[in-house]
Amino acid sequence: MALANRDLGAVVAELAAVIVAHKAWLSELDGRIGDGDHGANMAKGFARAADRVAGQDLTLGAALAILSDVLMGEIGGSMGPLYGVMFDDMAQALEGRDVIDIAAVDAMLKAALAGVQAMGNARVGDKTMIDTLAPAVAAFATHRDKGAEEALARMVAAAETGRDSTIGLVARLGRASRLGERSRGMLDAGAVSCCLILTALAGSLTKRLD
Ligand code: ADP
Ligand code: MG
């Protein structure tokens, strides 16, 4: 895998399209055990970022940095700052890279996980986006020797399994934790949005490899 790191602003537009398409579902999920704003906040932020990257020749890092700025500065809820940090750390991991290769994606994913955990202190099992992100990042690293397409597919599969694991979990962090045992039995909205983002990212990268 070696993708020229230019003209990749459309990747952010592709992530945004997926988040916007799932806006109602994300808010519905958040409404069951939270306050119901997750889809609206995410869709607003991602759509604004898509507008800002449109028509520019950007590196992937530059486009992710724009997404981060919007989420950090203009979006409320827990996820504005958490995804803001995640995309900023991903952007930093890509700094100075002329090509997006497997090592770059691996570094970007590891930076995403480290950034979210440094800010939110969530661990696997707390019923958050980390239940999606941590196993996905680990799966990519484990399978990177098999090539980009395979490693990205394994990442997506691990993200889906992690997302679904949140159904059986009791929330230990964030708003849903106030429900205690009653938070069990439902998907976590952040785990779902994180899976959508990773799946879209994998699709965007994979299709550009062809
Ligand atoms: P709010 O809870 O402020 O309304 P959102 O609805 O945007 O924020 O996001 C809720 C999501 O935030 C949850 O579904 C969960 O995945 C995620 N979350 C909450 N706290 C943390 C944390 N400390 N670390 C990582 N993710 C978290
Ligand atoms: Mg919410």
Side-chain angles (χ1 to χ4, degrees):
M1 174 185 187
L3 199 65
N5 191 13
R6 58 176 300 274
D7 212 7
L8 291 175
V11 170
V12 163
E14 288 160 17
L15 300 187
V18 170
I19 290 296
V20 169
H22 292 86
K23 171 180 164 175
W25 188 40
L26 292 174
S27 278
E28 189 197 318
L29 291 172
D30 188 36
R32 290 181 196 166
I33 53 173
D35 57 357
D37 64 350
H38 188 58
N41 284 341
M42 292 287 283
K44 185 168 85 176
F46 277 73
R48 280 189 193 172
D51 284 348
R52 282 181 212 175
V53 300
Q56 296 191 62
D57 181 352
L58 297 169
T59 62
L60 183 56
L64 292 174
I66 290 171
L67 177 59
S68 166
D69 283 348
V70 175
L71 295 175
M72 205 103 79
E74 301 174 33
I75 301 306
S78 318
M79 295 313 258
L82 284 165
Y83 275 129
V85 162
M86 182 177 102
F87 289 116
D88 190 46
D89 286 1
M90 290 167 79
Q92 283 181 36
L94 298 180
E95 233 159 66
R97 294 182 190 264
D98 295 331
V99 294
I100 305 292
D101 53 13
I102 291 189
V105 176
D106 196 33
M108 173 177 81
L109 292 171
K110 284 176 176 155
L113 178 61
V116 176
Q117 284 194 308
M119 173 170 247
N121 288 312
R123 291 168 180 266
V124 169
D126 287 342
K127 195 174 178 110
T128 71
M129 62 185 291
I130 291 295
D131 290 301
T132 298
L133 187 57
V137 171
F140 187 88
T142 302
H143 297 289
R144 61 179 271 185
D145 294 348
K146 300 189 176 82
E149 209 170 324
E150 176 75 15
L152 287 168
R154 300 286 191 134
M155 176 190 79
V156 169
E160 289 170 350
T161 303
R163 172 199 65 195
D164 292 343
S165 78
T166 64
I167 295 174
L169 295 171
V170 171
R172 285 197 288 250
L173 280 172
R175 220 177 277 276
S177 65
R178 299 177 199 166
L179 292 180
E181 193 56 45
R182 280 181 293 142
S183 65
R184 203 194 295 276
M186 250 80 78
L187 280 166
D188 174 67
V192 172
S193 62
C194 189
C195 188
L196 290 170
I197 289 165
L198 293 175
T199 304
L201 184 64
S204 293
L205 294 176
T206 303
K207 86 175 182 204
R208 286 175 173 79
L209 294 174
D210 299 336

